[in-house]
Amino acid sequence: ATPGSLVTLFLAGVGVIGTATANPVTGVWSFAHATALAEGVAAFSATATASGKTSQRSRDFLATIDLTAPLVTLTAPATTTEVKPEVTVVASDLHGLPDGTAVTLDVDLNNDGDFLDPGETGHSTSTLAGGTATFSLASALTVGATVALRARVADLAGNAG
């Protein structure tokens, strides 16, 4: 925007949602909308007013509002004699999860109902490829032990599933 101008921000389907003053040197401005936006695509546009003249409205800027956590499914053997069993995690998201998205596996090594003890949170990591990650545990489990497993994946918006 023109440095020092008053920027008026519009949301398609709503109208004017607020104003901001552009930096007097750089013209950079920001706006914090006080009302939560609904999940989906929102179209924003703006005008700038300086010296009594208002610009034409900008082209729409489309923003994806993502409030939903990814769906994460963990598959592991219910019983096994393997000390490093293979674990498969499948994850999906309304807005997609790119290949290379991190998958974190937490293991309740002492089966005390939490993942707070040393080595339990972030026990093993992998990355998604086509929505799936398959990996072996980072360290061996005790034969005959019962452990709980939890997989975590975050989408591009930071929603954790």
Side-chain angles (χ1 to χ4, degrees):
T2 302
S5 63
L6 178 67
V7 177
T8 302
L9 192 63
F10 301 85
L11 175 58
V14 175
V16 174
I17 58 170
T19 61
T21 302
N23 180 286
V25 176
T26 65
V28 173
W29 58 274
S30 65
F31 177 77
H33 190 40
T35 305
L37 297 170
E39 178 123 16
V41 177
F44 296 93
S45 59
T47 60
T49 303
S51 302
K53 295 183 182 180
T54 301
S55 70
Q56 290 184 352
R57 192 180 291 193
S58 67
R59 291 186 299 156
D60 283 348
F61 173 81
L62 302 178
T64 300
I65 313 304
D66 181 359
L67 306 171
T68 304
L71 177 62
V72 180
T73 304
L74 180 137
T75 304
T79 59
T80 182
T81 56
E82 296 292 324
V83 293
K84 289 186 170 186
E86 187 173 89
V87 175
T88 301
V89 175
V90 177
S92 62
D93 187 66
L94 289 174
H95 305 286
L97 293 168
D99 286 352
T101 297
V103 178
T104 303
L105 184 67
D106 302 328
V107 180
D108 184 4
L109 295 168
N110 60 0
N111 202 29
D112 67 351
D114 64 42
F115 300 95
L116 303 174
D117 299 301
E120 293 184 339
T121 300
H123 181 274
S124 301
T125 59
S126 187
T127 56
L128 292 176
T132 302
T134 301
F135 49 101
S136 295
L137 298 183
S139 62
L141 300 176
T142 303
V143 174
T146 298
V147 297
L149 304 173
R150 173 179 68 186
R152 296 180 287 125
V153 176
D155 64 17
L156 293 174
N159 302 310

